[in-house]
Amino acid sequence: MEKVATNVNLKDQFWKRYIDVVRHEVIPYQWEALNDRIPDAEPSHAIENFRIAAGESDGEFYGMVFQDSDVAKWLEAVAYLLETKRDPELEKLADDVIELLGRAQQPDGYLNTYYTIKEPGKRWMNLRDNHELYCAGHLIEAAVAYFRATGKRRFLDIMCKYADYIGTVFGRGEGQIPGYDGHQEIELALLKLYEVTGNENYLKLSQYFIDQRGQQPYYFDQEKEARGETEPFWYDGGYRYHQAHIPVREQKQAVGHAVRALYMYTAMAGLAAKMGDESLKQACQTLWENVTKRQMYITGGVGSSAFGESFTFDFDLPNDTAYAETCASIALVFWTRRMLELEMDGKYADVMERALYNGTISGMDLDGKKFFYVNPLEVWPKACERHDKRHVKPVRQKWFSCACCPPNLARLIASIGHYIYLQTSDALFVHLYVGSDIQTEIDGRSVKIMQETNYPWDGTVRLTVSPESAGEFTLGLRIPGWCRGAEVTINGEKVDIVPLIKKGYAYIRRVWQQGDEVKLYFPMPVERIKAHPQVRANAGKVALQRGPIVYCLEEVDNGPNLANLFLPRDAKLEAHFEPDLLEGVVVITGIAERVDESAWNDELYRPIEPRTYKVPFRAIPYYAWCNRGEGEMVVWVNEK
């Protein structure tokens, strides 16, 4: 049985900087936001809601129906930070919040401030819209993380009591509700609760929610009728938005709200692995192919439409109206990890890497104080004033009324150590090349592995393997899908890895000795990437990628009207590291061509071949755009 290796000491220069930002800037900043102390930012009221629910403050509920989840994700991020570095002051603050949650919990275990304060007596009457189980799921995830990090049971006990109560409410038994939540989350959270407690009731409850979804008669129709509603659902009159239109095993195309879909797929993959469910595994594989080969941006962004924050149809990947919610890329990372537990295939880790280095961290500025909800691949600031592009912001925001993305990103970054390795009884697999140490047990033998690298800027990786005693086991090393010509040496001797590669991993099995060194070299040339011919938005355009990093052009480097910039096919592209730019990045430079606008003589249309002139250009990593002021940005550049 595969398991994620979490006892990781992170030393990576790239990710350590992000974790330090989360620790020293994001977590304190978000605590202030949750307590409504950020000037000129959207108020949260989330902590105050719990105080009101606990009877310790007067007032009305404020915020979204899922406001509780922002506190949950903040607590989960804190847990991951405590896992890697104890901080008594931060732990005391988290303990105080957990005690507040305990005081807000109802005697039967129920814990939800919206229904406790605003609509008491109406629990579970609108599962389709009101996120009760979604909030419960995020609180459960936080409790599991906090228990694993600190060993303290208080939060875990609070949420076990809630989960036990939920188990009495939902099911197919007499007097139970045969329903499921409109926003999937409880399903994946219950799997984590099962993993830490061993209580199979939680596993079975997760399975129930997955299996019940999409069954007829539709539960959402039943509860709508009970509420006296007569209008069809706003999205399409049906339930594709919630992926509840057909049973999950029959779903072959990603539809509806992207985050809901990917949270559900994450749970499906986890269940398939734990229960040996082949039909669920096949459904996951089919949906994976559709998402990653038909509906995913080059940045790892998913969900192309602002309407419903949703998937649309195959190859519909517009750049300037892209939604690509930060939470959706984060959810894609969650799914990749569960797919790797289900099936060891490098294609999953390739997508994990793509999303981590591009589509997730683009959602936060480099100092951790402003955030993108939407991650477009092309921005013209003036056009953001148009009605159909109002969801696209030319600059990051301090906070949001719907503030799911900032704390979600904080918990992902803080937990990055959970994504690097995966372990079986006699093997350790390396998914991500991130400077770190791991002390673990392989086949009954204590082993320390030290990984050193300047990834993603440099393709050299050193792994020092130190078992307590000589012994035979396997190292599975991912050969990135973007890489051609990977080289591996062991103790200075070159290894022919071609016969060792299986589904993207080089399986190196040998008797390992104390201090054995594995050196990997992944060449990182600048590559021009073309989109599938059916992606109409990118016809005649090219994107630049080096290693796992996708690049973009910004107005601050290249001037305005980036749509009139062309990259010649024979242009020489060079990459070099600039330590003082954007916290240190590799940039790509070269010579492009610009259309000579002066030839138009103030006319709108002319029957001429446009004159061009040569100009230098500079491309920066996409994740770092919009850290030097407002301006245009493009990922896909015209090719000439």
Side-chain angles (χ1 to χ4, degrees):
M1 180 69 176
E2 289 82 4
K3 65 176 182 178
V4 174
T6 59
N7 47 332
V8 175
N9 179 28
L10 200 77
K11 297 181 177 180
D12 190 75
Q13 184 174 351
F14 183 92
W15 286 107
K16 190 175 184 302
R17 192 200 74 79
Y18 268 100
I19 290 175
D20 287 345
V21 167
V22 169
R23 186 185 302 277
H24 300 300
E25 301 294 341
V26 178
I27 288 299
Y29 179 87
Q30 292 187 357
W31 176 248
E32 294 299 296
L34 292 171
N35 285 276
D36 308 325
R37 296 195 287 254
I38 303 294
D40 303 320
E42 287 281 353
S44 167
H45 208 69
I47 294 296
E48 185 65 13
N49 286 339
F50 279 104
R51 293 194 181 103
I52 297 169
E56 299 169 6
S57 183
D58 295 326
E60 298 294 328
F61 177 91
Y62 179 87
M64 300 288 185
V65 291
F66 46 82
Q67 210 75 349
D68 292 359
S69 65
D70 293 345
V71 176
K73 283 180 275 190
W74 182 86
L75 281 168
E76 189 177 353
V78 168
Y80 294 131
L81 293 176
L82 295 176
E83 185 177 75
T84 56
K85 182 181 178 182
R86 300 313 289 261
D87 181 335
E89 184 177 344
L90 183 59
E91 189 169 335
K92 174 63 166 59
L93 180 60
D95 286 342
D96 289 345
V97 175
I98 290 165
E99 289 303 320
L100 174 60
L101 300 185
R103 295 193 299 272
Q105 186 172 35
Q106 302 303 293
D108 59 3
Y110 185 80
L111 181 57
N112 183 289
T113 65
Y114 176 84
Y115 279 100
T116 298
I117 300 169
K118 192 166 185 176
E119 294 196 84
K122 293 187 177 181
R123 299 179 189 176
W124 319 122
M125 292 181 67
N126 190 350
L127 295 173
R128 187 190 69 187
D129 302 327
N130 283 359
H131 294 67
E132 279 173 278
L133 292 170
Y134 168 87
C135 288
H138 275 300
L139 287 166
I140 289 170
E141 285 196 271
V144 169
Y146 202 74
F147 172 71
R148 284 176 166 159
T150 66
K152 296 178 179 179
R153 288 199 59 93
R154 173 62 172 151
F155 196 6
L156 189 68
D157 289 341
I158 290 170
M159 295 317 300
C160 283
K161 184 178 180 180
Y162 192 9
D164 292 341
Y165 163 69
I166 291 170
T168 67
V169 172
F170 291 91
R172 302 183 185 93
E174 185 176 352
Q176 290 184 302
I177 297 173
Y180 38 84
D181 205 57
H183 194 314
Q184 300 91 316
E185 159 64 20
I186 187 70
E187 301 88 346
L188 64 88
L190 287 168
L191 287 181
K192 291 185 177 182
L193 194 58
Y194 162 71
E195 288 170 342
V196 80
T197 65
N199 187 334
E200 291 196 357
N201 289 333
Y202 303 140
L203 180 64
K204 293 175 181 176
L205 186 56
S206 177
Q207 182 185 29
Y208 158 78
F209 284 126
I210 288 294
D211 287 345
Q212 189 71 358
R213 194 170 210 89
Q215 300 292 340
Q216 294 194 34
Y218 292 128
Y219 178 73
F220 290 160
D221 285 341
Q222 294 175 313
E223 69 166 17
K224 183 177 76 170
E225 183 178 352
R227 292 194 303 269
E229 291 183 18
T230 57
E231 294 296 319
F233 186 66
W234 63 268
Y235 185 72
D236 60 2
Y239 299 115
R240 291 164 60 87
Y241 177 76
H242 313 86
Q243 300 77 43
H245 54 303
I246 55 176
V248 299
R249 287 170 175 79
E250 299 174 20
Q251 296 185 26
K252 301 184 185 303
Q253 182 179 14
V255 298
H257 189 276
V259 177
R260 298 174 198 236
L262 296 176
Y263 279 6
M264 184 178 80
Y265 304 160
T266 302
M268 289 166 61
L271 278 169
K274 287 178 173 26
M275 307 191 78
D277 190 324
E278 284 298 318
S279 64
L280 208 52
K281 177 180 178 179
Q282 181 59 53
C284 288
Q285 292 170 332
T286 299
L287 288 162
W288 177 271
E289 293 299 301
N290 178 254
V291 169
T292 62
K293 293 185 177 180
R294 297 290 186 273
Q295 300 199 72
M296 183 180 74
Y297 285 98
I298 191 174
T299 56
V302 287
S304 60
S305 175
F307 179 69
E309 303 178 323
S310 63
F311 293 105
T312 54
F313 53 89
D314 291 356
F315 303 113
D316 180 40
L317 295 167
N319 297 309
D320 58 343
T321 60
Y323 203 75
E325 182 183 345
T326 301
C327 280
S329 287
I330 292 168
L332 183 60
V333 174
F334 297 160
W335 187 23
T336 61
R337 189 173 72 178
R338 286 298 190 184
M339 291 300 288
L340 283 163
E341 294 174 42
L342 182 61
E343 178 188 19
M344 195 63 63
D345 193 321
K347 67 184 181 182
Y348 304 126
D350 286 343
V351 171
M352 177 194 291
E353 181 180 75
R354 181 177 297 278
L356 281 171
Y357 283 101
N358 301 289
T360 60
I361 54 176
S362 59
M364 181 177 77
D365 67 4
L366 294 174
D367 68 7
K369 293 182 179 179
K370 291 182 181 179
F371 306 90
F372 276 141
Y373 195 105
V374 172
N375 294 274
L377 281 75
E378 179 180 328
V379 170
W380 179 17
K382 289 181 180 179
C384 295
E385 300 170 9
R386 282 175 31 175
H387 178 79
D388 58 335
K389 292 187 180 181
R390 286 191 304 180
H391 61 284
V392 176
K393 303 301 180 186
V395 295
R396 293 176 178 88
Q397 309 295 297
K398 289 183 177 181
W399 202 248
F400 307 97
S401 57
C402 175
C404 53
C405 295
N408 215 3
L409 186 55
R411 68 172 179 149
L412 175 72
I413 292 171
S415 65
I416 192 68
H418 291 213
Y419 297 88
I420 302 171
Y421 305 99
L422 190 142
Q423 188 176 333
T424 63
S425 60
D426 66 345
L428 183 74
F429 291 86
V430 183
H431 299 320
L432 300 174
Y433 294 104
V434 175
S436 56
D437 299 342
I438 178 171
Q439 184 79 45
T440 190
E441 188 175 285
I442 304 175
D443 206 13
R445 180 180 290 101
S446 178
V447 179
K448 181 178 181 179
I449 295 178
M450 180 171 64
Q451 183 179 169
E452 299 173 279
T453 184
N454 191 31
Y455 206 87
W457 312 125
D458 187 281
T460 301
V461 182
R462 288 182 177 85
L463 297 168
T464 304
V465 184
S466 299
E468 61 179 351
S469 60
E472 186 178 20
F473 57 89
T474 298
L475 276 184
L477 308 175
R478 180 176 69 94
I479 307 302
W482 51 261
C483 177
R484 281 160 286 285
E487 298 176 6
V488 177
T489 63
I490 299 179
N491 298 329
E493 294 186 10
K494 189 171 182 179
V495 176
D496 180 9
I497 62 170
V498 173
L500 305 178
I501 295 177
K502 178 184 177 183
K503 292 187 175 181
Y505 286 84
Y507 285 69
I508 301 177
R509 187 168 186 85
R510 69 193 303 268
V511 176
W512 296 94
Q513 309 279 348
Q514 181 86 16
D516 280 346
E517 183 183 83
V518 181
K519 183 177 178 180
L520 304 97
Y521 174 64
F522 305 125
M524 288 186 172
V526 177
E527 292 197 309
R528 299 163 178 256
I529 307 298
K530 284 281 193 176
H532 189 285
Q534 291 194 45
V535 182
R536 298 186 178 205
N538 297 333
K541 296 183 178 183
V542 64
L544 300 179
Q545 183 171 327
R546 181 179 181 273
I549 301 294
V550 174
Y551 282 74
C552 70
L553 275 63
E554 280 197 285
E555 180 178 347
V556 65
D557 297 312
N558 302 286
N561 199 2
L562 295 176
N564 266 350
L565 196 72
F566 290 79
L567 187 63
R569 289 183 175 86
D570 59 353
K572 184 179 179 182
L573 304 175
E574 297 182 345
H576 63 276
F577 187 73
E578 294 195 12
D580 298 324
L581 178 67
L582 299 168
E583 303 292 343
V585 295
V586 167
V587 301
I588 297 171
T589 58
I591 300 298
E593 293 186 18
R594 266 194 177 277
V595 173
D596 183 1
E597 296 184 30
S598 65
W600 257 251
N601 296 322
D602 204 32
E603 296 182 48
L604 186 57
Y605 304 104
R606 292 192 67 185
I608 64 168
E609 182 70 23
R611 294 201 303 263
T612 63
Y613 58 95
K614 296 184 183 300
V615 292
F617 80 91
R618 177 163 72 168
I620 65 160
Y622 169 78
Y623 74 80
W625 84 276
C626 196
N627 276 277
R628 294 173 293 167
E630 180 178 317
E632 292 183 45
M633 181 275 293
V634 295
V635 170
W636 292 94
V637 184
N638 298 316
E639 189 176 50
K640 183 176 180 181

